[in-house]
Amino acid sequence: MNAFDLTGKNALITGGSRGLGKAMAIGLARAGAATIIAARDPERIAQTADEIQQTYGRPTAGFSYDAADVDSIRRLFRQTAEAADGRLDILVNAAGVNRRMPTIDYAEADWDYIIDVNLKGAFFCSQEAGKLMLPRRSGVLIHIGSLTTYIGTPTIGPYGATKMGVHALVKSLAIEWGPSGIRVNGIAPGWFETDLNRAVFQRPGWLETLLDKTPLGRSGLGEDLADVAVFLASDAARYITGQMLPVDGGFLAGWHAGMMNQPPT
Protein backbone atom coordinates (compact mmCIF):
# COMPACT_ATOMS: atom_id res chain seq x y z
CA MET A 1 0.00 0.00 0.00
CA ASN A 2 3.02 2.31 0.18
CA ALA A 3 2.53 3.07 -3.52
CA PHE A 4 -0.58 5.06 -2.59
CA ASP A 5 1.20 7.12 0.10
CA LEU A 6 1.48 10.83 -0.76
CA THR A 7 3.47 11.84 2.31
CA GLY A 8 5.93 14.57 1.43
CA LYS A 9 4.05 15.59 -1.73
CA ASN A 10 2.74 19.11 -2.37
CA ALA A 11 -0.67 19.26 -4.09
CA LEU A 12 -2.49 22.26 -5.52
CA ILE A 13 -6.22 21.82 -6.03
CA THR A 14 -8.03 24.51 -8.03
CA GLY A 15 -11.71 24.77 -7.26
CA GLY A 16 -10.77 23.02 -4.03
CA SER A 17 -12.92 24.91 -1.55
CA ARG A 18 -16.18 23.05 -2.16
CA GLY A 19 -17.90 20.21 -4.00
CA LEU A 20 -15.81 17.63 -5.82
CA GLY A 21 -12.66 19.77 -5.63
CA LYS A 22 -12.94 19.84 -1.85
CA ALA A 23 -13.54 16.09 -1.74
CA MET A 24 -10.36 15.48 -3.73
CA ALA A 25 -8.37 17.91 -1.58
CA ILE A 26 -9.48 16.01 1.51
CA GLY A 27 -8.60 12.70 -0.13
CA LEU A 28 -5.10 13.86 -1.03
CA ALA A 29 -4.54 15.18 2.49
CA ARG A 30 -5.80 11.91 3.97
CA ALA A 31 -3.20 10.12 1.83
CA GLY A 32 -0.47 12.33 3.26
CA ALA A 33 -0.12 15.28 0.88
CA ALA A 34 0.35 18.89 1.92
CA THR A 35 -2.52 20.70 0.20
CA ILE A 36 -2.92 24.15 -1.28
CA ILE A 37 -6.52 25.19 -1.89
CA ALA A 38 -7.24 27.66 -4.69
CA ALA A 39 -10.68 29.11 -5.40
CA ARG A 40 -12.48 32.42 -5.70
CA ASP A 41 -14.09 32.84 -2.25
CA PRO A 42 -11.53 33.57 0.53
CA GLU A 43 -13.97 32.58 3.27
CA ARG A 44 -14.64 29.15 1.78
CA ILE A 45 -10.93 28.65 1.17
CA ALA A 46 -10.14 29.40 4.81
CA GLN A 47 -12.88 27.06 6.04
CA THR A 48 -11.67 24.18 3.88
CA ALA A 49 -8.01 24.71 4.72
CA ASP A 50 -8.81 24.83 8.43
CA GLU A 51 -10.95 21.68 8.19
CA ILE A 52 -8.16 19.75 6.47
CA GLN A 53 -5.51 20.95 8.89
CA GLN A 54 -7.62 20.22 11.96
CA THR A 55 -8.68 16.77 10.73
CA TYR A 56 -5.47 15.44 9.20
CA GLY A 57 -2.75 17.66 10.63
CA ARG A 58 -1.32 18.28 7.17
CA PRO A 59 0.31 21.55 6.11
CA THR A 60 -2.42 23.48 4.30
CA ALA A 61 -2.50 26.84 2.55
CA GLY A 62 -5.15 28.65 0.54
CA PHE A 63 -5.16 31.38 -2.08
CA SER A 64 -7.92 33.26 -3.87
CA TYR A 65 -7.70 33.52 -7.64
CA ASP A 66 -9.75 34.01 -10.80
CA ALA A 67 -9.68 30.89 -12.98
CA ALA A 68 -10.54 32.93 -16.08
CA ASP A 69 -7.69 35.43 -15.69
CA VAL A 70 -4.18 34.46 -16.74
CA ASP A 71 -2.48 37.11 -14.60
CA SER A 72 -4.39 35.81 -11.59
CA ILE A 73 -3.35 32.23 -12.42
CA ARG A 74 0.30 33.25 -12.64
CA ARG A 75 0.04 35.04 -9.30
CA LEU A 76 -1.50 31.89 -7.78
CA PHE A 77 1.45 29.79 -8.90
CA ARG A 78 3.95 32.31 -7.55
CA GLN A 79 2.17 32.06 -4.19
CA THR A 80 2.09 28.29 -4.48
CA ALA A 81 5.81 28.10 -5.21
CA GLU A 82 6.54 30.25 -2.19
CA ALA A 83 4.29 28.20 0.09
CA ALA A 84 5.69 24.90 -1.22
CA ASP A 85 9.39 25.86 -1.26
CA GLY A 86 9.33 25.83 -5.06
CA ARG A 87 8.18 22.21 -5.38
CA LEU A 88 4.79 21.28 -6.78
CA ASP A 89 4.20 17.54 -7.13
CA ILE A 90 0.47 17.36 -7.94
CA LEU A 91 -1.95 19.70 -9.69
CA VAL A 92 -5.66 18.89 -9.69
CA ASN A 93 -7.54 21.17 -12.07
CA ALA A 94 -11.04 21.03 -10.60
CA ALA A 95 -12.23 24.61 -11.14
CA GLY A 96 -15.26 24.69 -13.42
CA VAL A 97 -18.48 26.51 -14.24
CA ASN A 98 -21.62 25.77 -16.24
CA ARG A 99 -24.76 27.50 -17.45
CA ARG A 100 -27.84 25.70 -18.76
CA MET A 101 -30.11 27.15 -21.40
CA PRO A 102 -31.33 26.45 -24.93
CA THR A 103 -28.49 26.87 -27.39
CA ILE A 104 -30.24 29.70 -29.21
CA ASP A 105 -30.31 31.70 -25.97
CA TYR A 106 -26.57 31.65 -25.20
CA ALA A 107 -24.92 35.05 -25.37
CA GLU A 108 -21.30 35.54 -26.36
CA ALA A 109 -20.54 36.45 -22.75
CA ASP A 110 -21.88 33.08 -21.58
CA TRP A 111 -19.70 31.22 -24.05
CA ASP A 112 -16.60 33.25 -23.15
CA TYR A 113 -17.11 32.77 -19.41
CA ILE A 114 -17.43 28.98 -19.62
CA ILE A 115 -14.54 28.59 -22.08
CA ASP A 116 -12.29 30.92 -20.10
CA VAL A 117 -12.76 29.16 -16.76
CA ASN A 118 -12.97 25.53 -17.87
CA LEU A 119 -10.55 25.37 -20.78
CA LYS A 120 -8.32 28.43 -20.86
CA GLY A 121 -7.92 28.21 -17.10
CA ALA A 122 -6.97 24.54 -17.28
CA PHE A 123 -4.42 25.23 -20.01
CA PHE A 124 -2.65 28.10 -18.26
CA CYS A 125 -2.68 26.32 -14.89
CA SER A 126 -0.99 23.42 -16.67
CA GLN A 127 1.54 25.78 -18.20
CA GLU A 128 2.44 27.25 -14.83
CA ALA A 129 2.60 23.81 -13.22
CA GLY A 130 4.94 22.71 -16.00
CA LYS A 131 7.33 25.54 -15.14
CA LEU A 132 7.67 24.08 -11.65
CA MET A 133 7.63 20.38 -12.58
CA LEU A 134 9.68 20.14 -15.76
CA PRO A 135 13.01 21.27 -14.25
CA ARG A 136 12.60 18.54 -11.59
CA ARG A 137 11.43 15.97 -14.17
CA SER A 138 8.65 14.90 -11.86
CA GLY A 139 4.99 15.72 -11.33
CA VAL A 140 1.39 14.75 -11.90
CA LEU A 141 -1.46 16.72 -13.47
CA ILE A 142 -5.07 15.61 -13.06
CA HIS A 143 -7.75 17.37 -15.09
CA ILE A 144 -11.45 17.01 -14.44
CA GLY A 145 -13.61 16.04 -17.38
CA SER A 146 -17.26 15.02 -17.41
CA LEU A 147 -19.72 12.63 -19.00
CA THR A 148 -19.89 15.35 -21.65
CA THR A 149 -16.29 14.48 -22.50
CA TYR A 150 -17.87 11.46 -24.23
CA ILE A 151 -21.55 12.14 -24.90
CA GLY A 152 -23.62 15.09 -26.05
CA THR A 153 -26.04 16.69 -23.60
CA PRO A 154 -28.63 19.30 -24.62
CA THR A 155 -28.58 22.87 -23.27
CA ILE A 156 -24.93 22.76 -22.12
CA GLY A 157 -23.06 22.81 -25.42
CA PRO A 158 -20.33 25.24 -24.30
CA TYR A 159 -19.64 23.18 -21.18
CA GLY A 160 -19.41 19.99 -23.24
CA ALA A 161 -17.04 21.69 -25.65
CA THR A 162 -14.71 22.58 -22.79
CA LYS A 163 -14.73 19.07 -21.37
CA MET A 164 -13.95 17.52 -24.74
CA GLY A 165 -11.19 20.12 -25.03
CA VAL A 166 -9.82 19.12 -21.64
CA HIS A 167 -9.56 15.53 -22.89
CA ALA A 168 -7.50 16.72 -25.83
CA LEU A 169 -5.32 18.75 -23.48
CA VAL A 170 -4.69 15.68 -21.33
CA LYS A 171 -3.51 13.68 -24.34
CA SER A 172 -1.39 16.50 -25.77
CA LEU A 173 0.40 17.26 -22.51
CA ALA A 174 0.94 13.57 -21.75
CA ILE A 175 2.75 13.14 -25.06
CA GLU A 176 4.75 16.35 -24.77
CA TRP A 177 5.77 16.06 -21.12
CA GLY A 178 5.97 12.30 -20.67
CA PRO A 179 9.64 12.17 -21.72
CA SER A 180 10.33 14.66 -18.92
CA GLY A 181 8.74 12.47 -16.27
CA ILE A 182 5.41 14.32 -16.03
CA ARG A 183 2.20 12.27 -16.03
CA VAL A 184 -1.05 13.85 -17.17
CA ASN A 185 -4.42 12.17 -16.72
CA GLY A 186 -8.05 13.08 -16.25
CA ILE A 187 -11.11 11.98 -14.33
CA ALA A 188 -14.56 12.10 -15.92
CA PRO A 189 -17.12 12.11 -13.10
CA GLY A 190 -20.55 10.67 -13.73
CA TRP A 191 -23.57 11.95 -11.85
CA PHE A 192 -22.41 13.56 -8.62
CA GLU A 193 -24.71 16.12 -7.04
CA THR A 194 -22.87 19.47 -6.88
CA ASP A 195 -23.68 23.17 -6.92
CA LEU A 196 -23.43 23.05 -10.72
CA ASN A 197 -26.18 20.47 -11.21
CA ARG A 198 -28.27 20.52 -8.01
CA ALA A 199 -31.24 22.03 -9.82
CA VAL A 200 -31.22 19.10 -12.26
CA PHE A 201 -31.15 16.56 -9.43
CA GLN A 202 -34.20 18.23 -7.90
CA ARG A 203 -36.38 17.83 -10.99
CA PRO A 204 -39.27 15.43 -10.30
CA GLY A 205 -38.38 11.90 -11.36
CA TRP A 206 -34.90 12.84 -12.53
CA LEU A 207 -32.96 10.89 -9.90
CA GLU A 208 -35.02 7.75 -10.45
CA THR A 209 -34.41 7.92 -14.20
CA LEU A 210 -30.71 8.53 -13.65
CA LEU A 211 -30.29 5.59 -11.31
CA ASP A 212 -32.15 3.34 -13.74
CA LYS A 213 -29.41 4.12 -16.28
CA THR A 214 -26.58 3.52 -13.80
CA PRO A 215 -25.62 -0.14 -13.29
CA LEU A 216 -24.36 0.44 -9.75
CA GLY A 217 -27.70 2.01 -8.88
CA ARG A 218 -26.61 5.21 -7.14
CA SER A 219 -25.15 8.61 -7.82
CA GLY A 220 -21.53 9.32 -6.95
CA LEU A 221 -20.12 10.33 -3.58
CA GLY A 222 -17.19 12.64 -2.99
CA GLU A 223 -14.98 9.84 -1.71
CA ASP A 224 -15.58 7.89 -4.94
CA LEU A 225 -13.76 10.62 -6.79
CA ALA A 226 -11.22 11.36 -4.07
CA ASP A 227 -9.88 7.81 -4.04
CA VAL A 228 -9.39 7.84 -7.81
CA ALA A 229 -7.53 11.17 -7.55
CA VAL A 230 -5.24 9.64 -4.92
CA PHE A 231 -4.59 6.66 -7.19
CA LEU A 232 -3.72 8.81 -10.21
CA ALA A 233 -1.55 11.11 -8.11
CA SER A 234 0.37 8.25 -6.53
CA ASP A 235 3.12 5.88 -7.63
CA ALA A 236 0.45 3.20 -7.99
CA ALA A 237 -0.37 4.87 -11.32
CA ARG A 238 3.25 5.41 -12.33
CA TYR A 239 2.76 3.82 -15.78
CA ILE A 240 -0.51 5.57 -16.58
CA THR A 241 -0.59 8.80 -18.58
CA GLY A 242 -2.74 10.38 -21.27
CA GLN A 243 -5.93 8.74 -19.95
CA MET A 244 -9.36 10.06 -19.03
CA LEU A 245 -10.87 7.72 -16.46
CA PRO A 246 -14.68 7.74 -16.15
CA VAL A 247 -15.94 7.39 -12.58
CA ASP A 248 -19.61 6.98 -13.35
CA GLY A 249 -21.03 3.82 -11.82
CA GLY A 250 -21.15 2.25 -15.27
CA PHE A 251 -23.28 4.95 -16.91
CA LEU A 252 -21.17 5.07 -20.07
CA ALA A 253 -21.25 1.29 -20.43
CA GLY A 254 -24.56 1.69 -22.26
CA TRP A 255 -27.20 0.86 -19.65
CA HIS A 256 -30.77 1.66 -20.68
CA ALA A 257 -33.74 2.85 -18.64
CA GLY A 258 -36.08 0.09 -17.53
CA MET A 259 -33.52 -2.73 -17.51
CA MET A 260 -32.76 -2.54 -13.79
CA ASN A 261 -36.06 -4.19 -12.94
CA GLN A 262 -35.72 -7.03 -15.44
CA PRO A 263 -34.46 -10.36 -14.12
CA PRO A 264 -31.16 -11.62 -15.56
CA THR A 265 -31.38 -14.25 -18.29
Side-chain angles (χ1 to χ4, degrees):
M1 295 300 293
N2 288 341
F4 295 89
D5 186 5
L6 299 180
T7 300
K9 303 291 187 180
N10 295 326
L12 170 62
I13 305 93
T14 70
S17 68
R18 61 182 181 178
L20 299 182
K22 179 179 178 179
M24 288 184 285
I26 290 172
L28 294 171
R30 188 171 59 235
T35 53
I36 299 168
I37 309 300
R40 181 182 290 273
D41 186 336
E43 184 175 348
R44 284 184 179 270
I45 294 169
Q47 290 172 349
T48 300
D50 184 65
E51 178 182 340
I52 290 173
Q53 197 156 20
Q54 292 297 322
T55 304
Y56 300 104
R58 309 297 184 197
T60 308
F63 302 110
S64 177
Y65 87 117
D66 181 351
D69 183 88
V70 175
D71 288 338
S72 182
I73 289 170
R74 288 173 176 158
R75 182 172 62 251
L76 166 65
F77 277 82
R78 288 195 297 269
Q79 294 170 315
T80 296
E82 183 175 349
D85 294 325
R87 196 189 82 245
L88 179 64
D89 302 290
I90 303 159
L91 169 66
V92 179
N93 260 320
V97 296
N98 193 11
R99 290 176 177 173
R100 293 178 180 272
M101 67 188 79
T103 297
I104 59 172
D105 293 336
Y106 273 96
E108 182 179 3
D110 298 315
W111 168 270
D112 288 346
Y113 175 60
I114 296 168
I115 296 294
D116 286 353
V117 172
N118 294 3
L119 190 53
K120 186 174 81 172
F123 177 86
F124 283 100
C125 280
S126 299
Q127 184 185 74
E128 293 301 310
K131 293 176 184 179
L132 297 174
M133 294 176 177
L134 288 167
R136 298 179 56 247
R137 301 185 65 82
S138 177
V140 176
L141 278 68
I142 302 172
H143 292 279
I144 305 304
S146 162
L147 291 179
T148 62
T149 301
Y150 299 97
I151 60 175
T153 303
T155 72
I156 56 170
Y159 178 83
T162 66
K163 294 306 181 179
M164 289 186 176
V166 164
H167 195 184
L169 182 61
V170 164
K171 290 180 178 294
S172 176
L173 290 176
I175 293 169
E176 183 175 348
W177 291 353
S180 298
I182 312 300
R183 293 191 294 107
V184 187
N185 291 295
I187 302 173
W191 285 103
F192 290 71
E193 185 174 353
T194 68
D195 291 342
L196 289 182
N197 64 17
R198 185 157 292 119
V200 175
F201 267 76
Q202 293 171 350
R203 292 176 183 172
W206 175 261
L207 184 58
E208 291 77 9
T209 300
L210 166 65
L211 298 186
D212 204 30
K213 295 183 178 181
T214 304
L216 293 187
R218 65 173 175 85
S219 56
L221 303 174
E223 52 264 37
D224 297 327
L225 211 62
D227 289 346
V228 175
V230 170
F231 165 63
L232 290 176
S234 74
D235 286 343
R238 57 189 170 271
Y239 201 54
I240 300 174
T241 195
Q243 305 304 309
M244 181 68 72
L245 179 59
V247 181
D248 65 352
F251 188 95
L252 290 174
W255 207 258
H256 296 287
M259 292 183 66
M260 290 292 287
N261 295 323
Q262 296 180 8
T265 56

